Amino acid sequence: MTDQAPVPSGPAAYTGPARVLSGVQPSGALHLGNYLGALVKFSRLQHEIDTFIFVADLHAITVWQDPALLAQQTREIAAAYIASGLDPDKATIFPQSAVREHAELAWIFQCVARLGWLDRMTQFKEKSGKHKERSSVGLYTYPVLQAADILVYKATHVPVGEDQKQHLELTRDIAGKFNHDFGVPGGAPAFFPQPEPLIQGPGARVMSLRDGSAKMSKSDPSDYSRINLTDDADTIAGKIKKARTDPEPLPETLEELTARAEADNLVGIFAALAGKTKAEVLAEYAGKGFGTFKPALAELAVEKLAPVGDKMRGLLGDPAVLDAILAKGAAKASEAAAPTLAEVKKLVGFWGA
C-alpha cells in the first residue's frame, strides 16, 4: 500500500446515482446562521437530488456532551430540519449513531488515511488550542468519520462552508486511495465517487449581531448575538432592533458596504431572507438610516422565522412523532449503507464477507 493519495487515473469515473449528504451536530440550539447557511438549502436540495440529512451525534461526543441531554438535543435538530422545510417522505432524516455502518466504515478508513493527512487538518488545531494533549482522540480523527459518513452512501455532492473544504478534500483523498489500494481495475468505474462541494452561496456566513467581525455562534455568551430558531416573534424583533450598527445611513455601493461590518451583516441577512442580492437591498434602502432599515428587517425576520419556531415547539411537544421519523429514516439509511459496507469488507478481504 502506498502512503500518498494517488492521482485518480486508474479507475474510470464513478457512474452511480447522484446523492447529497450533510448533517448538523446536536450540541446546542440552532440559530439564524444555521438556518440560512444550511437548513433552507437542505430543503431546496431534496427536490433536486436524492438527499440524506443526519443528526451528527457521533461527531458531537468528540467533546463532552451531557448524556441526559443528548437524545433531546438530537430531537431538536430533527425538529429544526422539518420545521425549516425538510420532508421526511422526500429526504432521509436520521441519527448518525443509529446507522452502525458509519462507525464501521470509519475504522477501515482510519487504516486507509495517512497520519500526515490528519496532521494538516487545521480545525483540530483551532479546536484543541494550546492543550491538544487533553483533547479526545475522536476530535483528532473525526474527519475520517466524516469521510465515512459521506462515502458509505456514495454521496456525490456535499454542502460545505469555508471551514469544511479541507475535510472534503480528505474524503476525496481517502476515496482515491481506497480505489487504488483495493484493486479497482483500470477502466472500471470507481467504487467510491470523488464527492463535489456544493458551495453554500448567499447567507452561508451570518455574523454576530453584536460584532460584525465574528461568526454568529451558539457558544457566544450573549444571547443577543444571535437569533435562535426557537425565539418567538417579540424576541426576534427585539434582537434585530438592538443589533449593533454604526451612525451612517446605508451606502449606495457594495464596495462601501463591505467596509462596514455590522451594516454589511444586516444587509446580508435581509437579502438572504428576502431571496434578493445585497445590491437589490441597497437599491431600496441606500441613504436611509437604521431607524428605517431595522424595523423592516425585523418584520421580515419575524415573517420568515417565527413560523419555524412555532413548528419546532409543536414537534418537540410530541417526541413520539419525532422518534418515529428518526427511526424510519435510520432504517432507510441503513438499507442504503449496508451494501456499500458489505462490498468494502469483501474488497478488503475480511473473513465471511
Side-chain angles (χ1 to χ4, degrees), residues 6-14 175-176 178-180 183-192:
V7 175
S9 58
Y14 178 74
F178 184 94
N179 289 341
H180 175 275
V184 178
F191 181 75
F192 283 123

Side-chain angles (χ1 to χ4, degrees), residues 17-18 32 34 46 56 61 102 104 123 142 152 157 170-171 186 200 207 245 256 276-277 296 311 319 332:
L32 175 64
N34 303 121
Q46 71 183 332
I61 65 167
H102 286 246
E104 198 166 343
Q123 277 208 39
Y142 87 87
V152 77
H157 296 81
L170 177 71
T171 299
Q200 300 270 334
M207 311 308 282
T245 54
E256 293 173 280
K276 297 180 177 180
T277 65
K311 188 166 185 178
K332 185 178 176 183

Side-chain angles (χ1 to χ4, degrees), residues 299-319:
E299 182 178 355
L300 176 62
V302 167
E303 176 190 342
K304 296 292 185 180
L305 297 175
V308 175
D310 290 343
K311 188 166 185 178
M312 279 187 69
R313 285 186 286 273
L315 287 164
L316 291 168
D318 193 350

Side-chain angles (χ1 to χ4, degrees), residues 217-232:
S217 171
K218 56 194 171 189
S219 62
D220 192 307
S222 172
D223 194 54
Y224 281 91
S225 68
R226 60 188 170 270
I227 296 174
N228 303 304
L229 292 189
T230 51
D231 286 344
D232 60 24

